[in-house]
C-alpha cells in the first residue's frame, strides 16, 4: 500500500522557482572584476536562467549535455547554473587554478560542448582552446561583444518551461584536483543536490534564512561553492558575490551590504586579518563564518570568535557535495569556558542527518567512537559519491562506504576530528603521529608563519618526523625555539628529528600543502640512527 | 543518464537511528500524569522502539497494519511511533477529545489492530472497546500490570533490524476532526514525513538544533504534534514531554529543564499568562514560541515578544503534515518599529521550500499576490495530501491544488494572512467581511474575553454580522463599548448589527470555534431591515 501524499520530484529548478516566487525581490549583488557593482534579485536570476536555457537550446544543446563554466562568483554565473540545469544540462564547473594538463584533460573527459568563462580567464581559454576537442561554443560572462553573455541572451524572452525528468538525473559535474593520478569527476544529481541544500540551511550547518546576507568567498568552481548557490535559493538569502578575492574588496562589501554569513578557506581569513591590522577596518555585521577546505588554525578561530562571530568548521570534499560535518554549539555551549569552546570549534563538527561516518583500521575493522582511537575516515549518505563519472566500478565498498583518505577521531559527544590525511600520517614505531597536529602546534610558536610535517624513512622506527618551517617576515625563531615550544604541546616521541627553515612551501590549486612533493624533495634528508 | 550518487531511501527509521547514533545521550524527559518524572535519551527511545517492534511482530502484526495510539506526550508514546513505523506499521494517532461516535468511526475505518493508550483514557477505552470491531490487543502506556507497556516490552531485547521498504510507503494516519461529515484520514508517507522534518528544523520554521530544548505542548494526537517528534530526532534536540497540559506544570518544567523552544495552540499561552499573573513565575529560558492551530490574538503575540521571545505563527492543517507557512524575521526586522514587527508576526508567515500557495476566487480564477485581494487558499507540495485514506477520488484538482477551506491574502513580501474560513466569511452587499478580523478587533476591547462573529441571513445585504461576546470575569463591558471600540478598527459597514453577551462559546475538539452550531442557534435572530 502506497501512501497518498502528493508527487513532488526533487528537481533543482524547484529551487530557483521558489526563490523567484517567495523571495523574488531579495538582492543579488555582484562586485565584478573591473570594479563595477551591479544588483539584480532572485526574480532577475530566474529570468536570466530561462533566457540562458533558451539560448543553449538554440545552440542545439540537449538534456544530459555538459556545459562548462570557468568563472568566479557573480550573478551571471549563478544564473548560468540554473539555466543549464533547467534545460536538463549538466553544469561542469572548471577550476581555473588547475594546471593546463588537468584543464585539458577534464574538459575533454567531460566532453563539454559549451564554455562560459570570465574575461579574467581569457588568456587561459586562448591558450587551451585548440586542445579542447569537444567545446563548440565560447561565451564570455563579462564580455560586451558578440560572444558575450548579454549578446547570447539578447534574442530570448525567458518564456520557457524547465525540462522535466527524473530526480536522479545528473545536474552538475565537479572534478577533484587530486595530488596523484587524473582528476576524477563527481556527478551530482538533482535529488542529491536538493537534499544537500535542505540539510545545509539548518541551524546546525549554515543557519540560513531569508534574513541572511551571504557572501560566499569560496568560489563556485570549488565543490559548488559548498552548495551555497542552491541552499541560498532555498532559504531566499540576499547574496553578495565578488568576482575578486581581495581582502579590502571583501571587507568593504561586507560592511556596505551588511553581510551576516560568509564562508571560505582559512587563507581568506588570514588575508582579512592582514587587512584589519593594516587599516583598522573590520567586518561589522558578520554573525557566522564557516571555514572549510582545510582545518583552521586555533588562533584564527579564536580571533574570529573574539569578534563576536559564530565560527564553524565545515568538513567535506567534492565527493560529499561537500557537507560531511559542520560545527554548531551544543546545549552546553553557554556553560563552557572560552577555552573549551575553542577546543570544540577546532574539531570538524557534528554529523548532519543523512551522513554516516565511521573510522576503520588498516585492515578495515571498525574502531570505537571513544575520542581516542584514530582511523581511516569513511562516509556514506545521499549526497556522497557512489561512482565517479565514466568510471567502470564503484568508488565505495559493498556496504556503501566511501574512503575519504582522511584520518580522524570520532568523539563520544558526536563530534569528529580530522587528525591527518591517511597518506600524510607519520608511522613511527608502530604508532601514528599526526602531521596536522604537529603543524598546528608549530604554528602556535611565535615567529612561525607556516609549517609542514612529513615522515622520513627510518631504518629503526619505520618513519620519523621532519618539520619544515616558514618564518614570519622579520622573525628570527630558531629550531631550538620551535622544539621547545612543541615539547609543551605534543608527546615526546612526536618531536621532529629536525626542523628545517624554508622560504615557502608548495600548495595545491586549492591551497593544501603538497606533501607528496615535499616527501620527494627530502627523501634523502639524513636521519639520526 | 542517471547520476552516480548513493542510494538512500527516505525512510523514517533513519531519523531514530541518526538521533541514537549522533545524539544518543540527549535527554528525553517525561512528566507523567501521576506527577512522576522520568528521564531517558534518544538511545533509550531507539532501544524501546526496537523492543516494541519485536513485541508487535510477536502479536502477528505485519507491515501496513494500523496500530493506534490514544496518548498524551511522553517517552513511551514517542518510542511507540518509531517502533510501529520501524516494523513497517502505520501509527494511527487518535484524538481523545473527539466525540464517541467519531472515535468509533475512525478506529473501525482505519481497521486498527492494536491500541496503545494512557491510563487517563481508560474510561473511554472501556466505554468503546466493544464497539471497536477490529482492535485485537490493548496496551496501557503507563500501566504496570500484565497489559502494561513494560510487560509488553519485557520479553524483548531490542536486537531487531527495521523493516525495509519503499520511501513512499505509508507510516502514519491522522484523521481530521471536521465540523461536518465523517472524519477523513490523511495517510503520511515515509518520504513526505522526512522531507517535512528536514524543512521543519530550518531557521525560518522551527529553528531546531541539538542545542534546542523543546517542549511541544501541542499533543502528539494533534497533526503529529506538528511533526516535532520527527524534526526533533533529525536535529537531536533535548525533549521535555508533559502528559498533562497544565500551565503550572508546564512553567515549572520549562524552568527546571531550561526549555528554549515550545509550540502550542493559543489557549496554551492564555493559560500560561494566567499562571504568570497569579504566581509571578514566568518561563526564563524560552527563545522561540510557535503558535498554530488557530490565529494568535495580537495582544498575545505582543506579550510573548515583550518577554524577549521570538514568536512565530505556524499555519497548516492535518492535510499539510502540517506545515504550510511559518513566521520568521525578514532581513529588515531590526530596522522595523515594534508595531510593524507585531503586524508582521500577526500574519501567518512565509512559505517554506516545497510548499506552494495560491488564492482563487469563487470561480477558481487565480488572484494576485497584492496584499489586497482575498480568496480561497489552495496549497500543494510534497507533504500535502493527495487522496484521503480509502477515498475513491483525489482531494486535489487536476493541477494538484488542495483547497484548504481558508480565505487568505497573499502579500507582496511573501507573507500569507488568513482572513477567515471560507464557510465563516460574512458576505455582505457583494463584499466579504472577515469574521476573524472582527473577532480579533473585538478581543482588543477591554473586558472582552472571547468573541465570535457570524453572518445572519439578511433580505437586503445577503448577510450581516452578529457578534457574540464572552465577558472577562467581573467585567461590565457593554455593547456600546464594543461597538465604539470596533469603530476605531474596522470599516463602518463591517460593524455588527448587534452584540450579544453569552456565558461561553462552543468549541471543537481542537479548540476552534464551532460556528456551524452558532449559526444554527442564531439563525432566527432579528435583523434590522
Amino acid at each position: 500500500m502506497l501512501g497518498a501524499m502528493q508527487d513532488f520530484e526533487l528537481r533543482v529548478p524547484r529551487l530557483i522557482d521558489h526563490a523567484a516566487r517567495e523571495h523574488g525581490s531579495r538582492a543579488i549583488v555582484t562586485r565584478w572584476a573591473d570594479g563595477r557593482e551591479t544588483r539584480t534579485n532572485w526574480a532577475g536570476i530566474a529570468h536570466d536562467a530561462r533566457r540562458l536555457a533558451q539560448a543553449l537550446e538554440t545552440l542545439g544543446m540537449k538534456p544530459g549535455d555538459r556545459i562548462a563554466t570557468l568563472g568566479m562568483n557573480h550573478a551571471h554565473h549563478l544564473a548560468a547554473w540554473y539555466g543549464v540545469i533547467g534545460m536538463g544540462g549538466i553544469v561542469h564547473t572548471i577550476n581555473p587554478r588547475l594546471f593546463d594538463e588537468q584543464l585539458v584533460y577534464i574538459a575533454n573527459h567531460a566532453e563539454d560542448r559549451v564554455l562560459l568563462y570570465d574575461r579574467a580567464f581569457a588568456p587561459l581559454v586562448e591558450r587551451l582552446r585548440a586542445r579542447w576537442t569537444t567545446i563548440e561554443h565560447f561565451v564570455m560572462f563579462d564580455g560586451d561583444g558578440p560572444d558575450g553573455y548579454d549578446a547570447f541572451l539578447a534574442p530570448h524572452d525567458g518564456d520557457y518551461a524547465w525540462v522535466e525528468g527524473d530526480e536522479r538525473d545528473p545536474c552538475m559535474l565537479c572534478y577533484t584536483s587530486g595530488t596523484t593520478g587524473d582528476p576524477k569527476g563527481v556527478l551530482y544529481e538533482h535529488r542529491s543536490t536538493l537534499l544537500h541544500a535542505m540539510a545545509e540551511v539548518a541551524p546546525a550547518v549554515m543557519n540560513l534564512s531569508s534574513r541572511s546576507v551571504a557572501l560566499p568567498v569560496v568560489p563556485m568552481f570549488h565543490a559548488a561553492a559548498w552548495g551555497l548557490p542552491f541552499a541560498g535559493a532555498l532559504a531566499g538569502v540576499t547574496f553578495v558575490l565578488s568576482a575578486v578575492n581581495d581582502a579590502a574588496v571583501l571587507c568593504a562589501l561586507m560592511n556596505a551590504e551588511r553581510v551576516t554569513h560568509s564562508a571560505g578557506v582559512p587563507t581568506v581569513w588570514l588575508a582579512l586579518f592582514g587587512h584589519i591590522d593594516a587599516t583598522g577596518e573590520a567586518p561589522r555585521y558578520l554573525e557566522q563564518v564557516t571555514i572549510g577546505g582545510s582545518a583552521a588554525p586555533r588562533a584564527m578561530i579564536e580571533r574570529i570568535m573574539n569578534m563576536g562571530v559564530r565560527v564553524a568548521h565545515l568538513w567535506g570534499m567534492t565527493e560529499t557535495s561537500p557537507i560531511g560535518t559542520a560545527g554548531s554549539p551544543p546545549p552546553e555551549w553557554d556553560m563552557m569556558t572560552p577555552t573549551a569552546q575553542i577546543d570544540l570549534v577546532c574539531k570538524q563538527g557534528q554529523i548532519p542527518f543523512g551522513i554516516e561516518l565511521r573510522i576503520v583500521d588498516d585492515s578495515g575493522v571498525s574502531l570505537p567512537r571513544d575520542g581516542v582511537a584514530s582511523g581511516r575516515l569513511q562516509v556514506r549518505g545521499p549526497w556522497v559519491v557512489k561512482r565517479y563519472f565514466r568510471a567502470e566500478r564503484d568508488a565505495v565498498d559493498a556496504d556503501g562506504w566511501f574512503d575519504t583518505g582522511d584520518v580522524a577521531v570520532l568523539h563520544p559527544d558526536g563530534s569528529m576530528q580530522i587528525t591527518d590525511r591517511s597518506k600524510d600520517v607519520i608511522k613511527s614505531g608502530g604508532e601514528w603521529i599526526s602531521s596536522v597536529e604537529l603543524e598546528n602546534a608549530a604554528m602556535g610558536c611565535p615567529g612561525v608563519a607556516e609549517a609542514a610535517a612529513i615522515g622520513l624513512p627510518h631504518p629503526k622506527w619505520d618513519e620519523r618526523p621532519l618539520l619544515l618551517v616558514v618564518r614570519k617576515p622579520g622573525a628570527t625563531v630558531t629550531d631550538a625555539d620551535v622544539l621547545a615550544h612543541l615539547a609543551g604541546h605534543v608527546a615526546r616521541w612526536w618531536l621532529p628529528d629536525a626542523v628545517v627553515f624554508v622560504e615557502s612551501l608548495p600548495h595545491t590549486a586549492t591551497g593544501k600543502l603538497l606533501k607528496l612533493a615535499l616527501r620527494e624533495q627530502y627523501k634523502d634528508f639524513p636521519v639520526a640512527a
Side-chain angles (χ1 to χ4, degrees), chain A:
Chain A
M1 171 175 44
L2 290 190
M5 305 303 280
Q6 297 192 1
D7 304 321
F8 182 98
E9 292 288 322
L10 295 169
R11 298 268 302 179
V12 168
R14 290 190 184 274
L15 289 173
I16 189 67
D17 285 348
H18 169 79
R21 195 172 56 232
E22 307 306 334
H23 306 281
S25 63
R26 301 245 177 270
I28 311 291
V29 180
T30 298
R31 201 286 192 182
W32 297 89
D34 64 2
R36 277 180 312 131
E37 230 176 84
T38 60
R39 307 178 85 84
T40 177
N41 54 29
W42 281 113
I45 295 291
H47 182 65
D48 261 16
R50 289 177 200 275
R51 294 167 71 212
L52 189 115
Q54 290 174 310
L56 289 170
E57 288 192 352
T58 303
L59 291 185
M61 297 302 125
K62 299 267 181 292
D65 283 347
R66 273 77 70 196
I67 312 295
T69 66
L70 191 63
M72 300 298 291
N73 296 1
H74 50 68
H76 291 353
H77 199 173
L78 184 63
W81 280 22
Y82 284 107
V84 171
I85 295 173
M87 57 75 63
I90 300 172
V91 179
H92 172 204
T93 51
I94 300 180
N95 181 345
R97 297 177 190 156
L98 297 178
F99 307 109
D100 281 5
E101 293 309 313
Q102 294 173 313
L103 290 167
V104 170
Y105 173 85
I106 65 173
N108 290 341
H109 186 264
E111 298 179 355
D112 295 327
R113 295 190 62 193
V114 178
L115 174 68
L116 298 114
Y117 65 101
D118 286 359
R119 180 188 299 274
F121 304 124
L124 186 162
V125 171
E126 288 316 309
R127 192 167 71 237
L128 301 181
R129 78 190 289 165
R131 298 172 64 193
W132 284 325
T133 55
T134 61
I135 302 179
E136 305 157 39
H137 306 278
F138 293 83
V139 178
M140 193 188 285
F141 274 131
D142 45 357
D144 41 23
D147 62 346
Y149 174 91
D150 288 337
F152 187 52
L153 267 55
H156 305 288
D157 62 3
D159 182 9
Y160 179 83
W162 306 125
V163 169
E164 296 185 2
D166 191 279
E167 65 184 34
R168 299 216 46 187
D169 285 344
C171 65
M172 182 164 247
L173 179 61
C174 297
Y175 283 76
T176 58
S177 54
T179 47
T180 54
D182 285 326
K184 294 190 283 277
V186 182
L187 192 64
Y188 303 140
E189 301 167 355
H190 286 260
R191 174 176 160 117
S192 71
T193 302
L194 245 67
L195 292 175
H196 184 270
M198 292 185 81
E200 185 158 18
V201 304
V205 185
M206 289 278 193
N207 193 31
L208 296 172
S209 71
S210 66
R211 66 167 296 285
S212 309
V213 182
L215 193 164
V217 185
V218 53
M220 291 171 72
F221 56 75
H222 179 69
W226 303 347
L228 282 165
F230 301 116
L234 188 145
V237 306
T238 296
F239 260 139
V240 181
L241 305 174
S242 179
V244 291
N245 197 330
D246 171 87
V249 169
L250 294 175
C251 192
L253 272 175
M254 285 177 180
N255 286 333
E257 303 295 339
R258 297 175 178 250
V259 169
T260 57
H261 288 65
S262 191
V265 296
T267 50
V268 167
W269 312 110
L270 273 184
L272 191 67
F273 293 162
H275 175 78
I276 296 172
D277 292 341
T279 66
E281 184 200 26
R284 291 196 301 276
Y285 304 95
L286 278 182
E287 296 173 10
Q288 178 166 344
V289 156
T290 302
I291 306 180
S294 50
R298 183 181 182 88
M300 175 179 293
I301 288 169
E302 187 168 3
R303 179 162 180 178
I304 304 176
M305 285 173 70
N306 285 341
M307 292 161 68
V309 176
R310 169 176 159 187
V311 182
H313 258 135
L314 190 80
W315 169 84
M317 51 207 310
T318 302
E319 286 87 342
T320 63
S321 295
I323 297 173
T325 59
S328 77
E332 303 77 19
W333 183 257
D334 292 336
M335 271 92 82
M336 290 166 70
T337 64
T339 302
Q341 289 179 341
I342 297 166
D343 287 346
L344 185 68
V345 178
C346 284
K347 296 177 194 166
Q348 273 61 43
Q350 292 80 42
I351 302 173
F353 174 73
I355 290 291
E356 284 180 77
L357 294 181
R358 69 170 186 179
I359 50 173
V360 298
D361 66 16
D362 276 342
S363 52
V365 175
S366 197
L367 296 170
R369 290 170 66 135
D370 60 4
V372 178
S374 82
R376 298 173 68 92
L377 182 67
Q378 301 188 327
V379 60
R380 63 182 180 190
W383 52 82
V384 177
V385 70
K386 182 177 182 188
R387 179 179 292 208
Y388 289 108
F389 181 54
R390 301 176 67 179
E392 292 186 359
R393 58 183 70 84
D394 287 349
V396 299
D397 73 13
D399 294 319
W401 292 104
F402 174 78
D403 195 291
T404 64
D406 280 323
V407 175
V409 173
L410 296 174
H411 291 268
D413 70 358
S415 61
M416 187 274 280
Q417 183 178 14
I418 298 286
T419 57
D420 219 331
R421 290 291 295 169
S422 60
K423 63 182 182 302
D424 294 336
V425 77
I426 300 162
K427 296 180 184 181
S428 178
E431 302 279 350
W432 288 4
I433 296 172
S434 161
S435 66
V436 173
E437 281 186 50
L438 262 186
E439 290 156 9
N440 285 345
M443 281 192 276
C445 176
V448 171
E450 191 176 16
I454 56 172
L456 294 181
H458 190 283
K460 181 172 173 190
W461 300 110
D462 190 15
E463 289 185 338
R464 286 298 299 158
L466 171 72
L467 190 71
L468 305 164
V469 170
V470 180
R471 288 193 184 92
K472 283 186 181 166
T476 56
V477 58
T478 66
D479 55 352
D481 296 337
V482 172
L483 289 170
H485 177 83
L486 288 177
H489 289 83
V490 300
R492 191 163 178 77
W493 63 276
W494 280 35
L495 288 178
D497 280 17
V499 176
V500 175
F501 290 93
V502 294
E503 289 300 307
S504 67
L505 289 166
H507 295 89
T508 67
T510 53
K512 290 170 189 159
L513 280 170
L514 250 180
K515 293 203 182 167
L516 188 70
L518 291 173
R519 278 191 293 268
E520 180 60 24
Q521 186 182 348
Y522 287 92
K523 67 176 191 286
D524 299 323
F525 192 87
V527 290

